[in-house]
């Protein structure tokens, strides 16, 4: 486990310095105390790797969707915050067919990575939320403004409720969040969504810090569903 | 650095490395595991608490209660709820309570686990951020204790390994030590073989050493054999393997000059007349065989030490020191000659003459006398003439008279003559002190009475009396003295005990006593002689052999006897100046003796030139008529 930043920033390092650095790195790795790298603004997806993964898993069709996603990133990257939110929300609501997990993945509550969601062309609510969350992070939206929110959703006018997940965008922690949802494709403030009752929210903070240093090989990651999907994303090349 | 030390260092080093290595691995993996557990606990508990708080009314009291309940019943270092604007809504902290873990250890393994973070929702809005840190000081203790346990365990393993190592070192060291001992023993000319160890390399070493030991022993034996061969060439007649004329006459002169019990005895001469005709009749080979037969017969006439020599082609002589039984001998000789005659095809004439000899007689006169007797005997085929002893040389005629006279003389006391033994540094090694007894109002030399002392078996009393006198002498003169002990001393009851008691009474002079015995003592009674050597050496005395011939290397166990010196037979120093073969013989003997750690003294040295020659040949000391100490050392 080396520290690429440090090495990169001191190209004319003296021999002694590099020895000291090497010693420090060895020491750290020996004791398992790796300093976790901070998350920088915006994820840096490894497009080549993503393409490779997509090609292998979903073939040409998946690859086409991925290319569109790259296009979205390129276009929305130039745009305003509102455009980023809208484009992202629309992209996934359009590309992905809403199904329940067992239909899409053959298992209850499978959390798919954006790549899997795009490749498959279908997913359930958390797959939408995750895909949008990752896309917005990639577009440079700060993480502390994005939260995935567990909500109780009342469908239509019936009294049937179901567990649902949406992505919330907070201008400030105390403000009314903008909700990116797949039931109602239009972005609306939370206070206007009378069909939704928020229960709990989370994002990658806290977990994220470990993300860079915790490899997918770490079996503990698989135990938590959220960390599991983060690990898979990292492996697929999302630059998480 | 010694090999053993290196081995120790290596093993200790390896142990230490293993210890540090496994300590590092053990502590590191525990550390990682614990850190991970704490991280997971932080995250999970934060989320659980935030979830509970999200579900309830955001009444400050309820929030506080919930937080306090969680904090008080759990193991936490910190739980805090921070409002969206950074203000603290509630916070509980506990000290990092680590009691019995050294600070340096905590510092070394310090855990760096981020606090768990979760957001408490209030509807769509965020109510606050929850931070939670678990109490992990117990982990330091666990880690510390496991380190201590590991150290303890390693200590135990180290003790066991070091015990094994010392056993290993011992098994290496023991054969090495034996090899060193073996090499040292070889330096002292003792040849032993040691047991082969099981370790391959050491086995090879020990094997080679054993082989070397045997080879050197073999070499020394060969050297001895060569000396013996040389002596035979020099002193023996080629045909009959008896002494040649010169050797025999040396031997006779030696006896006539002796102060010991060989100073009187019998001399026999046998002649094969008309040897030329016999040779013509029988042929060369058969004649040689006849002469050989005669020689063997003469050698077997007596059981005590005797010397057969061929004086001329037809004249054979037998010297029997110490014997006085001329009649019995004559009868035996008669019988022997008769057998010889019967076994020969042609008629022989073998006259013989028997004569007593005694100390101080002239050799030429003695031989002439025998020659005359032979001439008388020649007219019979087997004529044996016994010449009567000199009337004036005969003091007493019966054994009883002799015994009485000797006992009386011993009562009167012994006088000691002094002949110095001089080293090559011209210092005095010791005085030879032949004894004198007053018999018939005259001080008589040992050559006169010693044969009688032996015949009457009075050696024990005599030797003790001489030793007593020698002790008194050395106390007076301050010179070391050489005392002759008789061979009988070796196997006669309490003799040795009495001798030792006597020396112990004067133990302050013991180191000045040089005891010597004839070479035959060591050849005939090696075990007893070795015992005597040990006993006397313990008291501080020197022990040696006299009249030593070139075969002394062959004496069984000579290297183990602890012998201090030998006195060469006087015949060896006789005419050593003129005889190169004799010189090689003496040089060989000196080398051999020195290799056994034995000093060599030449006897019967006639003049200073001979002394010098002998010193050049490696002799350590000389004594004899031509030796006196010029300068006092």
């Amino acid at each position: 486990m080396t520290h690429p930043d440090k090495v990169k920033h001191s190209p004319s390092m003296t021999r002694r310095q590099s020895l000291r650095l090497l010693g420090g790195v060895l020491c750290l790795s020996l004791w398992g105390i790796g300093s976790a790298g901070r998350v920088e603004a915006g994820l840096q997806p490894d497009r080549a790797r993503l393409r490779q993964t997509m090609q292998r898993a979903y073939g040409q069709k998946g690859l086409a969707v991925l290319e569109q996603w790259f296009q979205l990133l390129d276009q929305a990257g130039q745009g305003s915050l509102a455009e980023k939110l809208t484009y992202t929300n629309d992209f996934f609501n359009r590309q992905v067919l809403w199904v329940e997990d067992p239909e899409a993945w053959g298992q209850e509550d499978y959390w798919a990575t954006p790549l899997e969601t795009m490749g498959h062309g279908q997913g359930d609510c958390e797959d939408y939320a995750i895909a949008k969350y990752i896309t917005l992070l990639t577009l440079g939206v700060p993480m502390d403004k994005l939260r995935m929110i567990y909500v109780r959703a009342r469908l239509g006018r019936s009294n049937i409720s179901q567990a649902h997940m949406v992505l919330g965008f907070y201008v400030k922690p105390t403000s009314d969040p903008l909700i990116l949802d797949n039931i109602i494709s239009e972005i609306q403030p939370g206070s206007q969504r009378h069909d939704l009752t928020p229960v709990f929210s989370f994002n990658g903070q806290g977990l994220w810090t470990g993300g860079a240093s915790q490899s997918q090989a770490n079996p503990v990651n698989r135990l938590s569903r959220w960390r599991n999907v983060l690990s898979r994303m990292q492996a697929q090349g999302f630059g998480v | 650095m010694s090999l053993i030390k290196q081995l120790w260092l290596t093993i200790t080093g390896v142990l230490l490395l293993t210890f540090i290595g496994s300590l590092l691995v053990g502590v590191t993996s525990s550390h990682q595991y614990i850190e991970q557990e704490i991280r997971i606990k932080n995250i999970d508990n934060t989320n659980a608490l935030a979830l509970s708080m999200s579900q309830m009314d955001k009444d400050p009291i309820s929030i506080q209660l919930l937080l306090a309940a969680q904090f008080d019943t759990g193991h936490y270092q910190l739980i805090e709820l921070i409002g969206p604007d950074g203000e603290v809504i509630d916070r509980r902290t506990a000290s990092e309570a680590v009691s019995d873990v050294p600070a340096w250890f905590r510092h070394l393994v310090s855990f760096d686990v981020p606090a768990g973070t979760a957001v408490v929702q209030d509807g769509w809005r965020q109510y606050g951020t929850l931070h939670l840190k678990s109490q992990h000081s117990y982990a330091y203790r666990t880690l510390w204790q496991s380190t201590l346990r590991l150290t303890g365990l390693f200590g135990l393993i180290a003790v066991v390994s070091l015990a094994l190592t010392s056993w290993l070192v011992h098994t290496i060291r023991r054969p090495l030590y034996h090899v060193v001992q073996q090499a040292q023993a070889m330096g002292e000319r003792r040849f032993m073989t040691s047991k082969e160890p099981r370790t391959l390399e050491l086995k090879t070493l020990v094997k080679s050493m054993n082989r070397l030991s045997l080879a050197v022993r073999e070499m020394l034996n060969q050297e001895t054999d060569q000396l013996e061969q040389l002596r035979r060439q020099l002193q023996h007649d080629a045909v009959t393997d008896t002494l040649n004329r010169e050797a025999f006459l040396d031997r006779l002169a030696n006896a006539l000059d002796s102060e010991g019990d060989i100073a009187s005895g019998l001399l026999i001469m046998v002649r094969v007349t008309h040897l030329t005709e016999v040779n013509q009749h029988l042929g060369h080979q058969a004649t040689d065989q006849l002469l050989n037969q005669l020689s063997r017969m003469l050698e077997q006439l007596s059981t005590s030490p005797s010397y057969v020599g061929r004086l001329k082609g037809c004249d054979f002589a037998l010297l029997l020191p110490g014997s006085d039984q001329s009649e019995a001998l004559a009868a035996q000789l008669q019988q022997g000659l008769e057998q010889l005659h019967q076994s020969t095809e042609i008629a022989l004439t073998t006259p013989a003459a028997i004569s007593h000899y005694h100390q101080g007689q002239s050799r030429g006169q003695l031989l002439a006398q025998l020659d005359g007797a032979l001439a008388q005997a020649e007219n019979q085929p087997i004529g044996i003439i016994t010449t009567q002893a000199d009337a004036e040389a005969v003091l007493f005629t019966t054994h009883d008279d002799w015994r009485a006279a000797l006992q009386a003389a011993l009562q009167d006391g012994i006088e000691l003559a002094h002949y110095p033994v001089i080293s090559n540094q011209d210092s005095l090694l010791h005085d030879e002190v032949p004894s004198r007894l007053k018999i018939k109002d005259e001080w008589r030399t040992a050559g006169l009475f010693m044969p009688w002392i032996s015949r009457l078996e009075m050696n024990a009393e005599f030797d003790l009396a001489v030793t007593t006198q020698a002790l008194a002498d050395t106390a007076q003169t301050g010179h070391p003295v050489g005392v002759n002990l008789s061979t009988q001393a070796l196997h006669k009851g309490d003799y040795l005990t009495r001798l030792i008691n006597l020396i112990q009474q004067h133990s302050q002079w013991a180191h000045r006593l040089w005891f010597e015995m004839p070479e035959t003592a060591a050849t005939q009674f090696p075990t007893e002689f070795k015992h005597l050597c040990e006993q006397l050496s313990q008291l501080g005395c020197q022990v040696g052999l006299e009249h030593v011939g070139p075969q002394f290397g062959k004496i069984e166990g000579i290297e183990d006897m602890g012998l201090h010196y030998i006195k060469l037979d006087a015949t060896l120093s006789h005419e050593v100046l003129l005889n190169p073969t004799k010189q090689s013989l003496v040089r060989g003997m000196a080398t051999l003796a020195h290799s056994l750690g034995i000093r060599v003294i030449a006897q019967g040295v006639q003049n200073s030139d001979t002394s010098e020659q002998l010193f050049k040949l490696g002799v350590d000391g000389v004594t004899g008529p031509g030796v006196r100490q010029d300068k006092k050392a």
Side-chain angles (χ1 to χ4, degrees), chain A residues 29-35 144 147 149 151 166 170 172-177 179 190-191 193 196-202 205-207 209-210 214 218 220 223 227, chain B residues 24 27-29 31-32 35-37 39-40 43 46-48 50-51 54-55 84-85 108-112 114-115 117-127 143:
Chain A
S29 52
L30 203 58
W31 289 101
I33 309 169
S35 59
D144 57 359
R147 299 195 71 79
I149 308 171
V151 292
V166 297
Y170 286 83
K172 278 197 308 181
T174 46
S175 62
D176 190 11
I179 303 301
S191 55
R193 293 295 301 265
L196 304 179
T197 313
V199 176
F200 188 58
S201 74
F202 68 96
Q205 260 164 349
L207 286 183
T209 49
Q214 304 280 321
N218 190 338
V220 177
L223 297 180
R227 288 179 73 176
Chain B
L24 274 185
V27 170
T28 307
S29 62
H31 184 272
Q32 263 173 358
E35 210 168 58
Q36 197 168 50
E37 287 300 303
R39 191 192 301 267
I40 289 172
I43 292 168
T46 322
N47 277 323
L51 192 54
S54 295
Q55 304 315 306
D85 304 326
L108 199 67
V109 301
S110 69
F111 292 104
D112 177 28
T117 307
V119 167
V120 178
Q121 287 289 132
D122 183 16
W124 287 113
R125 291 187 309 110
Q126 297 177 21
Y127 177 74
L143 216 51

Side-chain angles (χ1 to χ4, degrees), chain A residues 18-190:
Chain A
S18 59
L19 274 179
R20 200 182 295 154
L21 179 65
L22 183 69
V25 168
L26 278 178
C27 237
L28 287 175
S29 52
L30 203 58
W31 289 101
I33 309 169
S35 59
R38 297 220 70 81
V39 188
E40 295 178 10
L43 301 177
Q44 301 294 328
D46 178 351
R47 295 193 177 188
R49 195 151 129 213
L50 283 171
R51 282 195 184 98
Q52 212 180 335
T53 317
M54 182 61 99
Q55 170 74 47
R56 203 168 43 233
Y58 300 101
Q60 211 52 47
K61 189 170 148 266
L63 209 54
V65 183
L66 187 65
E67 290 301 339
Q68 288 181 42
W69 185 63
F70 288 152
Q71 247 172 19
L72 162 80
L73 291 183
D74 295 339
Q75 285 171 10
Q78 316 293 327
S80 65
L81 184 66
E83 282 169 344
K84 287 175 182 170
L85 291 174
T86 315
Y87 287 172
T88 303
N89 193 36
D90 289 350
F91 179 80
F92 285 103
N93 287 349
R94 196 172 58 239
Q95 288 290 345
V96 181
L97 180 66
W98 184 26
V99 293
E100 292 300 323
D101 267 341
E103 268 177 66
W105 306 107
Q107 51 179 304
E108 286 281 349
D109 268 354
Y110 178 80
W111 287 24
T113 65
L115 185 130
E116 289 161 357
T117 308
M118 285 187 277
H120 229 39
Q122 52 186 23
D124 77 345
C125 53
E126 65 264 14
D127 299 337
Y128 283 96
I130 291 167
K132 290 170 187 172
Y133 175 68
I134 293 300
T135 307
L136 287 174
L137 284 181
T138 311
L139 287 169
V141 179
M143 186 189 289
D144 57 359
K145 299 197 179 220
L146 295 171
R147 299 195 71 79
M148 279 175 283
I149 308 171
Y150 286 97
V151 292
R152 202 173 66 206
R154 221 171 37 247
L155 292 178
R157 290 199 187 131
S158 65
N159 280 330
I160 303 167
S161 293
Q162 82 168 79
H164 187 50
M165 188 187 279
V166 297
L167 181 66
F169 173 80
Y170 286 83
V171 178
K172 278 197 308 181
T174 46
S175 62
D176 190 11
L178 295 172
I179 303 301
L180 286 72
D181 184 21
N182 59 309
I183 299 176
I184 295 172
S185 293
E186 194 186 334
I187 298 177
Q188 292 178 355

Side-chain angles (χ1 to χ4, degrees), chain B residues 406 437 449-459 462:
Chain B
L406 286 172
L437 280 181
F449 57 81
M450 270 318 286
W452 283 101
I453 297 272
S454 292
R455 272 168 218 156
L456 297 172
E457 297 188 345
M458 294 170 67
N459 302 81
F462 181 75

